[in-house]
Amino acid sequence: MDKKIYQYIQDITKAAKNDNLIFFIGAGISRISDYPQWGELVNKYHIKLYGEEKKDYSSDEYLRIPQIFHDVEGEEAYDKVLEDVFSVNRKTNSIHEKILAMNPVHIITTNYDDLIEKACWQRGQYLSVISSEKDIARATSSRYLLKVHGDFTKGYKGKHVVLKESDYMNYERNFPLISNLMKTLMATHTIVFIGYSLSDYNINSLLNWVRQLQKDGYIKPFFVQGNHEPVEEKTAVYYEKRGLRIIDTTSLVESSKNEYLKRYEAFMNILIDTKDNDLLSTDEDVIEYIYHKLSPLFSLQYVRKLDLKYVFEYDYEFKIDGKIYCNKNTGFKYMERFFGLKEKDKDKLSESLKKKFEGIVNFFSKNGIVGMSEDGENENTVFPFRIENPAYHSDYEEMERMIQLQPNSLEEEYRNAFYLACLGRWEDAYNLYSGLLLRSIDDSNWWIHYLSQINRYRLYQSITQQVGYLNGVGVLTYRRNHKPFSGEFLQRIESEMKKFEINDVFESMPYDFKEKYRILKVLSDNQFLYDETVKLFELTNKVRSEINKGSYSFGLTASYETQLRLNDNLRFLYENNLWSANFYEFGQYMRNSLMLLMEKAHYDMTRDIDESDMFSDLVGPSFYFDYYDFVNVAKSFNIENIKHIESNVELEQFEFRGIEEIESYLMRITNELIKYFSKEGMDIIFYNQFMNEAKTAFYFAKYVSLSGESFTNIIRALLFYFPELAADIGVRYQWIDRMAWKSGLPKEAISVIEEFLISQADKHSDSNYSEVSTNGLNSKNFSNLIHHFNEEFVSNRLSEYALNLSEDMKNQIDFMYRLSKILSSEAKSHLLHVKKIEDINGLIDSVRVDAVENLSDYQYLVNNFMDRRMTEIRESQRNGVKSTYGDKLEVQLGIWFFLGELTDTRMRDYVGLIDEYDFFVNPKSFDYEKFNPIWLKRYSNSLIEDISKNEDMRPHVIEILKERIKHTNDKEYLNIFITHFI
């Protein structure tokens, strides 16, 4: 095949891929099925007119003779000859099938027969048949079989077909709709004439007609020459100058005169089977070919590995681990050749080819493509995962800075629109995308145009969802109806988006764009997310199967593939500034992927492995949380999701790496929190975007060991800037408490807490002020936290505040009293003086906050309480009510007596009422049949240690524990026994 025909084949194939191909089928294709030809009909008319045959007819005679017969013999005789000649039943042939295999968007034909329709039915392809004016309005498919010369299926009548001279002369008048439809189709599509002769009257008239119609925009049609004699060179030049691209089938196969089928099949087989890499042979060819395929994608910041198979027509499969596998490439192995070139013979290339070669290498490296699967050198090649987009890293300051700069290109404007959306300025972002749609058309920057369309629609979806939320549940949540968008704006976008079909966007783009950016089609319908969700379900089943069977996987395991696919999708969306990254559906996909990874990793860490388990060392590195995992959790989980994971997976067992990056991320969240809530007013859109990520990040930070400075900044943000609406003080205390267990409590943080507690004390001057929380914790608990990490700490500032309180400041006294653990002795004494302990509850509260130095001083309150309780219990017993478990308060008093903090022997007078109380007050005479080992689980380690040292208690408790351990799977009993009694 010469290069010119090869290029013609490529152009036709390209048109087919772009739904721009039309086959214009002539009588030569029906002749292969032995269908009667036009010449046979003309000859029949001639015989009936003149009584003899004629061997050759001119083009004019083909029209004139039927006209003469019609005029002389009349319409009925004319129709009778038509029926005699064409009333036959013929089968379709292979050319019909092969034409349909090219999936033309339309078919036009001058044939009257129904062979094309039959072929369509056999293949299950449906085209609307249009052979009369009325058929156009009745078309039920967007793909047409346009029978421009009529159709015998409507009857063998001259009025149904174009045949005689007057039919041609009056065609425009008799068939205006069909004529205009044909003009439109031929003016906008790539046409392949097949089944015609170059001398055919139809071809010559059509060529003149189309050239006049298209003028400068003339799309040269293709003509498949099926005659046995090659087209003479001068004739070929003549027709090519008239705008006809000739494909001479005699150059494709050797054949005899009447082997039309063989010649047409040779062409159609090449058309169907040809690949655009068939003529590659040299290194230069390979580089040019791959560069041509990939260079349009250089404008994208990242492409998904799996999508590259579309770029190379499925010749190669690009796996998620970056390896390339030969797939359907039966021709030249160009990808193998390229990677063989990678480091050798580079110096032999021209400067232009070197640049293209390096561009390809950089593209593959940037997108994580390591090379051919069979290349052993690639076995352990892994490109580091990273995302550059500041939106992913919650770098709000950087996004603001970039927006302030004057954009120098449409690409920068497109990026800024995404940043605006991430900053909660949705109206500005929407308007910028709208402007980009127009400016990108002016610049023919179609990828910016397409992505702007996608993002604008996705942002519109976010706006409408947010408005619906704020007008409904949001009113209850925020106790007001937030209206972040003007009515005019909402009305305008509804008008712009009314009946807008996002699924049609890609198909409406120019053909050249669709060919180069086919990998972006999935964004129109979010098909990629559906496919990834289905794949995740499949991978989840694989992982669960491994867990249930206790089996191992090697190579690209299901869990590793899950991680790689998640990374690929994250980079694709964020690096290309795609708003779908912020959709709930994508967050759900992220969350499910991470949950699967954690579940599998936890199983691997806790599974039983014995000495015979030969595969245990071959399953790859253990899972750990890196910076990206941390951010992914913050962006896709809420606190309840994490608690669900915590109930099944021991997250504290996992290693956290990249602590400095995690700290920097937490500081960006912290700084944005402080900045946002330092100003007046509330941007509800940004609040709703930002707050869940901030809450999750701070909650999850308890697993990370933070620096003193970072932890202190977080505490300041949580105590002074975090809105009560998002998390009450009890919740925020719990976050800080848990972070402190991992990171300690630095001195600077204690100063911040002091400052906060003083501000809270001031608020308590208002008698209506209350620190109600969902978990019962509040700011008073911070004294316990400080005391835990620094038992010697005394707050001079809080002590001074307490010393200045007078008896009439009851709320503030009660508040400061709860902070007694970190107050000076003078401050405690002053509070005791102004508050006074008057009953057992007051005593208990005072002990809890470490305000009482000597319990025995309040023995009289204990005795009064126990006398009253003894009377109540005995009354209950007389009424048949027996207390099985002692009240916590009575048991606590018994423990204090056991520890020597209460010394009055009258405490023994209350023995016999509550078993657990009796155990501590009179261990020597206690009936140990009544001892319940569950009590031990409630005691502190120091108390259990004292029990283990008591000679009356120890032997009995040991025997009871041994018996309990035999009959329970609860390992806590074994831990108590080992820790304290062995």
Side-chain angles (χ1 to χ4, degrees), residues 877-914:
Q877 289 175 344
R878 278 196 294 272
N879 293 328
V881 179
K882 188 174 186 327
S883 175
T884 305
Y885 297 107
D887 188 85
K888 288 183 180 179
L889 187 51
E890 288 90 329
V891 173
Q892 182 60 59
L893 296 176
I895 291 172
W896 284 339
F897 182 78
F898 171 71
L899 296 175
E901 295 179 23
L902 291 175
T903 57
D904 191 337
T905 56
R906 281 193 59 199
M907 296 291 288
R908 294 195 177 94
D909 293 345
Y910 309 114
V911 168
L913 299 178
I914 298 171

Side-chain angles (χ1 to χ4, degrees), residues 12 21-25 190-194 221-224 267:
I12 295 172
L21 178 63
I22 292 178
F23 275 94
F24 206 127
I25 302 175
T190 298
I191 308 296
V192 177
F193 289 102
I194 187 168
F222 297 93
F223 183 90
V224 182
F267 163 71

Side-chain angles (χ1 to χ4, degrees), residues 313-454:
E313 314 283 339
Y314 294 92
D315 283 348
Y316 293 92
E317 192 79 22
F318 290 77
K319 296 294 187 180
I320 195 65
D321 59 357
K323 294 176 183 175
I324 307 171
Y325 293 77
C326 188
N327 187 31
K328 292 184 178 180
N329 184 13
T330 56
F332 185 76
K333 307 298 184 184
Y334 56 90
M335 202 63 75
E336 292 87 337
R337 180 73 163 264
F338 174 79
F339 282 100
L341 263 176
K342 222 168 172 186
E343 289 303 328
K344 69 175 187 176
D345 299 330
K346 211 163 62 170
D347 294 336
K348 297 178 184 178
L349 301 174
S350 66
E351 288 303 314
S352 173
L353 278 175
K354 273 185 185 177
K355 287 183 180 178
K356 291 179 179 179
F357 176 82
E358 288 167 2
I360 297 168
V361 170
N362 291 337
F363 176 86
F364 281 147
S365 176
K366 173 182 171 183
N367 293 286
I369 304 301
V370 299
M372 301 307 298
S373 60
E374 61 268 21
D375 188 347
E377 293 181 9
N378 299 323
E379 191 62 36
N380 298 313
T381 303
V382 178
F383 291 106
F385 174 71
R386 64 184 182 278
I387 295 175
E388 303 292 344
N389 194 324
Y392 174 82
H393 303 285
S394 300
D395 194 341
Y396 301 101
E397 186 176 327
E398 177 63 12
M399 286 190 282
E400 288 281 9
R401 187 188 72 80
M402 298 291 281
I403 290 171
Q404 299 306 317
L405 298 176
Q406 182 66 32
N408 296 315
S409 64
L410 293 178
E411 288 80 1
E412 290 182 1
E413 285 191 70
Y414 169 76
R415 176 204 66 198
N416 287 352
F418 181 74
Y419 290 170
L420 285 168
C422 292
L423 292 168
R425 291 152 63 180
W426 289 2
E427 187 168 341
D428 292 340
Y430 182 93
N431 291 334
L432 184 49
Y433 283 130
S434 295
L436 277 168
L437 294 180
L438 299 176
R439 292 192 292 279
S440 58
I441 291 176
D442 293 339
D443 285 8
S444 297
N445 193 331
W446 294 112
W447 76 271
I448 287 291
H449 180 83
Y450 176 70
L451 295 185
S452 295
Q453 279 275 38
I454 296 297

